[in-house]
Amino acid sequence: MSAEQPHSFMHSVKRMYDFAVSKMDLPTGIAELLGECRTVYQVRFQVKINGEYQVFKGWRATHSEHQLPAKGGIRFATEVNQDEVEALAALMTFKCAVVNVPFGGSKGGLCIDPRAYSREDLDMITRRFALELEKKGYLSPALNVPAPDMGTGPREMALMADIYRTLHPGDIDAAACITGKPPEMGGVEGRTEATGRGVQYAMQEFFRHSEDIAAASLSPGLTGKRVVVQGLGNVGYHAAKFLEEEDGCLIIGIIERDGGLWSEKGLNVESVFAYLQEHGGVKGYPDAEYVADGNSLLEADCDILVPAALESQIHEGNAEKIKANLIVEAANGPVTAEADEILRQRGKIIIPDMYANAGGVTVSYFEWTKNLAHMQFGKMGRRFMQSRAESAVDALEQVMGDKFPEKLRQGFEKEADELNLVRSGLEDTMCEAYQEIREIWHSRDDVPDLRTAAYILAIGRVAHYYTEYAL
Ligand code: GLU
């Protein structure tokens, strides 16, 4: 991360990294090593579209290979550039380390507006990009395993997996070359919802710690909390939906590309999402007030703000005006380093990206191990566990001479199928990581916030690997 521009995303990551490093006792060379990406690959390739050749430019950066494969998504967006991809790759290293997922960090991007192309053309472009990545070892079950990110999803992952499989017909582990595939292509149940689900688990865990709730000057419990969400993409949609439907939050604001929606009584996320899918925007949605300057809702009166769109959305220009006491970074890098400082001074609490949105890569890890094991989670034990739970309930009922209340019985007999196993594995991971981060935050006077604590935890883990085991 050397060539950073002032106020760029990389500049923010670098500043936050340096700040954390200044609180650690790291060998200078290791601090320097982790301060930049290890390799960056840039590629340009051509695709014939409607009889004309078009040239596309993309990148794949690897920040750390202390564990292999290196892991991280591929985004399709017009804003993609090398600087951004490198900063995101660094975040991936730290994200994996924070949740104890044994991967290095990598990230890729293609400079493209995916909505400007037909499905067929986009398929061709995706395949071509996959081919270029594969040629250099950036699509490989052992070395570098991409995943979805902004502008990509299960379909793109399936196409890329198909390229790898075609080139390596003898590789029995071919499916593990990429994660986020549709379940019928070797994906895992619950991957699509995973990042949003992880955001929900992170917030639930935050609300289990009275000291942390008090630090944010909030009342206990997620129920009834007034939440504003920026971005109803895969992450924002799932996070908002679960918070509304399962935790009783009021989603009072949703910000999208074409403006924002506001409703004091709470928006129905599913219905806003359906409207967005059908109309391509939120303007005209009934049952809510439309706000043309959507981003002004970032500054609206609410308890919790969940930026789930682009980076650098909260910056020097609006940080003073943010009213939410808790900011949950569902997106990568939504708060600039300058805004981070302003918000900290104003007593705002931020649940940082490297932890808050780590649910995606956590479930990617489950998918990767599933692919290497060649077996669905729960396949062998599900029936056995089910009948054991039923026997236990029957035995208890006999001894008690009474029936189990239906809700208790359901809890006991919850099926150990893939989706439930993935969710419980994710919940466990998110809870444990939060506890480790907050422990650093609360136990050290020189650690002012959760972000610095998360960096210290992550950098410490990666550095330990280099100083103890690496060549
Ligand atoms: N793109 C997601 C992220 O930024 C997921 C990465 C992965 O699953 O490898 O965390």
Side-chain angles (χ1 to χ4, degrees):
M1 291 178 279
S2 53
E4 92 245 21
Q5 304 291 316
H7 306 297
S8 70
F9 176 36
M10 186 188 281
H11 158 84
S12 283
V13 174
K14 179 78 179 137
R15 250 184 75 166
M16 291 165 179
Y17 171 81
D18 286 344
F19 184 65
V21 165
S22 75
K23 316 253 167 228
M24 300 174 74
D25 189 19
L26 281 187
T28 322
I30 296 297
E32 189 187 326
L33 178 77
L34 295 177
E36 281 185 41
C37 278
R38 213 170 170 85
T39 58
V40 189
Y41 169 52
Q42 177 186 304
V43 62
R44 290 168 78 242
F45 59 87
Q46 83 294 348
V47 178
K48 203 171 185 180
I49 293 169
N50 299 330
E52 301 276 338
Y53 287 104
Q54 281 192 30
V55 179
F56 297 90
K57 196 170 175 180
W59 295 267
R60 183 83 179 161
T62 301
H63 174 261
S64 174
E65 295 176 344
H66 66 292
Q67 305 257 46
L68 284 173
K71 193 81 188 77
I74 290 183
R75 61 173 54 178
F76 284 4
T78 45
E79 305 85 14
V80 165
N81 57 62
Q82 182 175 333
D83 208 55
E84 181 194 63
V85 169
E86 286 187 48
L88 288 164
L91 269 185
M92 280 312 305
T93 296
F94 302 133
K95 198 184 294 193
C96 293
V98 150
V99 287
N100 251 327
V101 158
F103 291 141
S106 188
K107 198 81 176 199
L110 187 67
C111 197
I112 186 176
D113 176 4
R115 286 162 305 166
Y117 292 88
S118 68
R119 190 63 261 180
E120 290 71 31
D121 291 339
L122 199 57
D123 286 358
M124 181 62 86
I125 298 162
T126 303
R127 286 196 160 99
R128 209 35 233 279
F129 189 33
L131 198 58
E132 297 299 331
L133 293 174
E134 195 283 335
K135 281 200 260 181
K136 304 286 178 191
Y138 287 103
L139 175 65
S140 149
L143 302 176
N144 199 307
V145 179
D149 200 80
M150 192 185 295
T152 57
R155 183 175 177 95
E156 287 73 26
M157 301 306 112
L159 294 172
M160 291 193 175
D162 187 54
I163 289 290
Y164 183 86
R165 213 178 36 187
T166 308
L167 294 170
H168 301 269
D171 186 348
I172 197 167
D173 294 326
C177 73
I178 200 161
T179 58
K181 303 176 292 292
E184 66 274 18
M185 280 282 292
V188 73
E189 295 294 340
R191 175 61 185 85
T192 305
E193 67 167 42
T195 312
R197 185 61 84 181
V199 170
Q200 178 199 27
Y201 290 153
M203 290 167 71
Q204 287 176 350
E205 183 57 23
F206 177 89
F207 274 91
R208 286 190 191 108
H209 300 276
S210 49
E211 210 179 338
D212 303 3
I213 303 169
S217 310
L218 287 169
S219 60
L222 266 171
T223 311
K225 288 288 175 297
R226 299 165 69 249
V227 180
V228 171
V229 179
Q230 184 194 33
L232 218 55
N234 182 44
V235 181
Y237 159 64
H238 282 106
K241 174 183 161 72
F242 299 144
L243 289 170
E244 180 208 349
E245 293 175 3
E246 298 172 18
D247 296 295
C249 290
L250 291 177
I251 310 297
I252 55 169
I254 288 180
I255 305 167
E256 256 299 320
R257 281 170 216 271
D258 68 324
L261 296 178
W262 185 262
S263 166
E264 273 298 334
K265 67 175 177 18
L267 293 153
N268 179 319
V269 175
E270 203 54 69
S271 116
V272 175
F273 185 68
Y275 187 92
L276 181 64
Q277 300 293 100
E278 197 186 329
H279 298 89
V282 291
K283 191 173 179 186
Y285 177 78
D287 290 341
E289 182 191 333
Y290 172 72
V291 181
D293 177 13
N295 274 356
S296 66
L297 296 184
L298 290 169
E299 302 159 20
D301 177 35
C302 64
D303 299 311
I304 304 172
L305 179 60
V306 183
L310 293 168
E311 51 252 25
S312 309
Q313 296 299 295
I314 303 172
H315 43 76
E316 273 168 300
N318 59 8
E320 288 287 359
K321 299 182 215 143
I322 301 294
K323 294 198 185 56
N325 282 346
L326 178 64
I327 297 152
V328 186
E329 295 185 330
N332 286 311
V335 176
T336 66
E338 290 72 21
D340 192 60
E341 190 134 2
I342 296 170
L343 292 166
R344 181 165 64 226
Q345 276 159 14
R346 293 183 58 221
K348 308 294 184 189
I349 299 294
I350 300 177
I351 304 186
D353 48 5
M354 92 171 61
Y355 162 70
N357 69 37
V361 76
T362 301
V363 176
S364 276
Y365 173 53
F366 300 158
E367 180 175 334
W368 184 73
T369 58
K370 171 187 172 174
N371 293 152
L372 296 180
H374 300 273
M375 205 200 295
Q376 208 184 7
F377 291 116
K379 180 96 181 153
M380 204 156 70
R382 190 175 60 186
R383 173 68 64 98
F384 178 77
M385 289 177 52
Q386 182 98 27
S387 58
R388 205 167 54 171
E390 277 165 15
S391 312
V393 172
D394 289 345
L396 280 169
E397 282 183 348
Q398 253 187 39
V399 173
M400 293 180 338
D402 203 356
K403 285 262 163 236
F404 252 53
E406 194 47 33
K407 214 163 168 209
L408 270 185
R409 178 179 268 273
Q410 276 169 9
F412 247 103
E413 294 181 356
K414 196 168 180 180
E415 222 185 323
D417 61 7
E418 188 163 276
L419 184 60
N420 281 331
L421 289 171
V422 162
R423 283 179 179 162
S424 82
L426 174 60
E427 185 171 11
D428 186 51
T429 304
M430 295 305 291
C431 291
E432 185 173 290
Y434 185 77
Q435 287 158 25
E436 287 173 317
I437 297 167
R438 75 180 292 278
E439 168 65 25
I440 296 175
W441 178 32
H442 291 302
S443 65
R444 287 181 51 168
D445 290 340
D446 63 339
V447 175
D449 55 17
L450 284 162
R451 189 190 313 280
T452 310
Y455 266 104
I456 289 175
L457 178 66
I459 297 168
R461 281 185 173 151
V462 180
H464 176 76
Y465 206 94
Y466 278 113
T467 51
E468 296 301 314
Y469 311 119
L471 259 185

PDB file of all heavy atoms in Angstrom, residues 155-167:
ATOM      1  N   ARG A 155     -23.931 -16.984 -10.202  1.00  0.00           N
ATOM      2  CA  ARG A 155     -23.795 -17.335 -11.622  1.00  0.00           C
ATOM      3  C   ARG A 155     -22.355 -17.130 -12.115  1.00  0.00           C
ATOM      4  O   ARG A 155     -21.787 -17.995 -12.783  1.00  0.00           O
ATOM      5  CB  ARG A 155     -24.767 -16.505 -12.467  1.00  0.00           C
ATOM      6  CG  ARG A 155     -24.690 -16.907 -13.933  1.00  0.00           C
ATOM      7  CD  ARG A 155     -25.712 -16.194 -14.786  1.00  0.00           C
ATOM      8  NE  ARG A 155     -25.521 -16.574 -16.171  1.00  0.00           N
ATOM      9  CZ  ARG A 155     -26.183 -17.542 -16.774  1.00  0.00           C
ATOM     10  NH1 ARG A 155     -27.079 -18.231 -16.115  1.00  0.00           N
ATOM     11  NH2 ARG A 155     -25.948 -17.824 -18.041  1.00  0.00           N
ATOM     12  N   GLU A 156     -21.778 -15.987 -11.793  1.00  0.00           N
ATOM     13  CA  GLU A 156     -20.399 -15.714 -12.221  1.00  0.00           C
ATOM     14  C   GLU A 156     -19.444 -16.749 -11.613  1.00  0.00           C
ATOM     15  O   GLU A 156     -18.505 -17.190 -12.272  1.00  0.00           O
ATOM     16  CB  GLU A 156     -19.964 -14.302 -11.797  1.00  0.00           C
ATOM     17  CG  GLU A 156     -20.598 -13.171 -12.596  1.00  0.00           C
ATOM     18  CD  GLU A 156     -22.065 -12.945 -12.275  1.00  0.00           C
ATOM     19  OE1 GLU A 156     -22.481 -13.286 -11.135  1.00  0.00           O
ATOM     20  OE2 GLU A 156     -22.797 -12.449 -13.146  1.00  0.00           O
ATOM     21  N   MET A 157     -19.729 -17.127 -10.354  1.00  0.00           N
ATOM     22  CA  MET A 157     -18.848 -18.111  -9.700  1.00  0.00           C
ATOM     23  C   MET A 157     -18.952 -19.462 -10.409  1.00  0.00           C
ATOM     24  O   MET A 157     -17.951 -20.159 -10.621  1.00  0.00           O
ATOM     25  CB  MET A 157     -19.221 -18.276  -8.211  1.00  0.00           C
ATOM     26  CG  MET A 157     -19.131 -16.988  -7.409  1.00  0.00           C
ATOM     27  SD  MET A 157     -17.515 -16.159  -7.516  1.00  0.00           S
ATOM     28  CE  MET A 157     -17.933 -14.671  -8.427  1.00  0.00           C
ATOM     29  N   ALA A 158     -20.172 -19.824 -10.794  1.00  0.00           N
ATOM     30  CA  ALA A 158     -20.375 -21.107 -11.481  1.00  0.00           C
ATOM     31  C   ALA A 158     -19.638 -21.116 -12.819  1.00  0.00           C
ATOM     32  O   ALA A 158     -19.007 -22.111 -13.194  1.00  0.00           O
ATOM     33  CB  ALA A 158     -21.873 -21.338 -11.695  1.00  0.00           C
ATOM     34  N   LEU A 159     -19.686 -19.998 -13.537  1.00  0.00           N
ATOM     35  CA  LEU A 159     -19.008 -19.920 -14.841  1.00  0.00           C
ATOM     36  C   LEU A 159     -17.495 -20.031 -14.676  1.00  0.00           C
ATOM     37  O   LEU A 159     -16.811 -20.692 -15.457  1.00  0.00           O
ATOM     38  CB  LEU A 159     -19.355 -18.598 -15.536  1.00  0.00           C
ATOM     39  CG  LEU A 159     -20.819 -18.423 -15.943  1.00  0.00           C
ATOM     40  CD1 LEU A 159     -21.064 -17.014 -16.448  1.00  0.00           C
ATOM     41  CD2 LEU A 159     -21.205 -19.437 -17.013  1.00  0.00           C
ATOM     42  N   MET A 160     -16.984 -19.378 -13.652  1.00  0.00           N
ATOM     43  CA  MET A 160     -15.541 -19.421 -13.420  1.00  0.00           C
ATOM     44  C   MET A 160     -15.113 -20.834 -13.018  1.00  0.00           C
ATOM     45  O   MET A 160     -14.072 -21.339 -13.451  1.00  0.00           O
ATOM     46  CB  MET A 160     -15.141 -18.402 -12.351  1.00  0.00           C
ATOM     47  CG  MET A 160     -15.308 -16.965 -12.844  1.00  0.00           C
ATOM     48  SD  MET A 160     -14.494 -15.803 -11.734  1.00  0.00           S
ATOM     49  CE  MET A 160     -14.729 -14.270 -12.626  1.00  0.00           C
ATOM     50  N   ALA A 161     -15.940 -21.476 -12.176  1.00  0.00           N
ATOM     51  CA  ALA A 161     -15.637 -22.860 -11.767  1.00  0.00           C
ATOM     52  C   ALA A 161     -15.626 -23.767 -12.992  1.00  0.00           C
ATOM     53  O   ALA A 161     -14.792 -24.675 -13.103  1.00  0.00           O
ATOM     54  CB  ALA A 161     -16.674 -23.349 -10.758  1.00  0.00           C
ATOM     55  N   ASP A 162     -16.515 -23.490 -13.905  1.00  0.00           N
ATOM     56  CA  ASP A 162     -16.605 -24.307 -15.116  1.00  0.00           C
ATOM     57  C   ASP A 162     -15.337 -24.179 -15.966  1.00  0.00           C
ATOM     58  O   ASP A 162     -14.850 -25.154 -16.534  1.00  0.00           O
ATOM     59  CB  ASP A 162     -17.846 -23.875 -15.909  1.00  0.00           C
ATOM     60  CG  ASP A 162     -18.096 -24.800 -17.078  1.00  0.00           C
ATOM     61  OD1 ASP A 162     -18.191 -26.024 -16.841  1.00  0.00           O
ATOM     62  OD2 ASP A 162     -18.154 -24.311 -18.222  1.00  0.00           O
ATOM     63  N   ILE A 163     -14.792 -22.969 -16.023  1.00  0.00           N
ATOM     64  CA  ILE A 163     -13.536 -22.760 -16.766  1.00  0.00           C
ATOM     65  C   ILE A 163     -12.428 -23.592 -16.128  1.00  0.00           C
ATOM     66  O   ILE A 163     -11.687 -24.313 -16.801  1.00  0.00           O
ATOM     67  CB  ILE A 163     -13.143 -21.248 -16.759  1.00  0.00           C
ATOM     68  CG1 ILE A 163     -14.091 -20.448 -17.648  1.00  0.00           C
ATOM     69  CG2 ILE A 163     -11.690 -21.040 -17.173  1.00  0.00           C
ATOM     70  CD1 ILE A 163     -13.955 -20.689 -19.139  1.00  0.00           C
ATOM     71  N   TYR A 164     -12.332 -23.505 -14.808  1.00  0.00           N
ATOM     72  CA  TYR A 164     -11.257 -24.246 -14.127  1.00  0.00           C
ATOM     73  C   TYR A 164     -11.405 -25.757 -14.363  1.00  0.00           C
ATOM     74  O   TYR A 164     -10.453 -26.457 -14.686  1.00  0.00           O
ATOM     75  CB  TYR A 164     -11.248 -23.946 -12.615  1.00  0.00           C
ATOM     76  CG  TYR A 164     -10.104 -24.643 -11.923  1.00  0.00           C
ATOM     77  CD1 TYR A 164      -8.845 -24.061 -11.854  1.00  0.00           C
ATOM     78  CD2 TYR A 164     -10.274 -25.934 -11.392  1.00  0.00           C
ATOM     79  CE1 TYR A 164      -7.773 -24.718 -11.268  1.00  0.00           C
ATOM     80  CE2 TYR A 164      -9.208 -26.613 -10.803  1.00  0.00           C
ATOM     81  CZ  TYR A 164      -7.968 -25.992 -10.743  1.00  0.00           C
ATOM     82  OH  TYR A 164      -6.909 -26.662 -10.177  1.00  0.00           O
ATOM     83  N   ARG A 165     -12.647 -26.236 -14.230  1.00  0.00           N
ATOM     84  CA  ARG A 165     -12.905 -27.675 -14.383  1.00  0.00           C
ATOM     85  C   ARG A 165     -12.586 -28.144 -15.799  1.00  0.00           C
ATOM     86  O   ARG A 165     -12.059 -29.224 -16.011  1.00  0.00           O
ATOM     87  CB  ARG A 165     -14.377 -27.947 -14.056  1.00  0.00           C
ATOM     88  CG  ARG A 165     -14.599 -29.286 -13.409  1.00  0.00           C
ATOM     89  CD  ARG A 165     -16.035 -29.488 -13.072  1.00  0.00           C
ATOM     90  NE  ARG A 165     -16.913 -28.878 -14.091  1.00  0.00           N
ATOM     91  CZ  ARG A 165     -18.220 -28.804 -13.965  1.00  0.00           C
ATOM     92  NH1 ARG A 165     -18.801 -29.285 -12.901  1.00  0.00           N
ATOM     93  NH2 ARG A 165     -18.955 -28.251 -14.916  1.00  0.00           N
ATOM     94  N   THR A 166     -12.890 -27.301 -16.761  1.00  0.00           N
ATOM     95  CA  THR A 166     -12.620 -27.654 -18.155  1.00  0.00           C
ATOM     96  C   THR A 166     -11.107 -27.764 -18.393  1.00  0.00           C
ATOM     97  O   THR A 166     -10.643 -28.648 -19.109  1.00  0.00           O
ATOM     98  CB  THR A 166     -13.214 -26.571 -19.089  1.00  0.00           C
ATOM     99  OG1 THR A 166     -14.586 -26.401 -18.724  1.00  0.00           O
ATOM    100  CG2 THR A 166     -13.137 -26.971 -20.544  1.00  0.00           C
ATOM    101  N   LEU A 167     -10.367 -26.862 -17.761  1.00  0.00           N
ATOM    102  CA  LEU A 167      -8.911 -26.874 -17.950  1.00  0.00           C
ATOM    103  C   LEU A 167      -8.214 -27.953 -17.121  1.00  0.00           C
ATOM    104  O   LEU A 167      -7.082 -28.325 -17.410  1.00  0.00           O
ATOM    105  CB  LEU A 167      -8.328 -25.502 -17.583  1.00  0.00           C
ATOM    106  CG  LEU A 167      -8.747 -24.343 -18.484  1.00  0.00           C
ATOM    107  CD1 LEU A 167      -8.303 -23.017 -17.878  1.00  0.00           C
ATOM    108  CD2 LEU A 167      -8.150 -24.499 -19.888  1.00  0.00           C
TER     109      LEU A 167
END
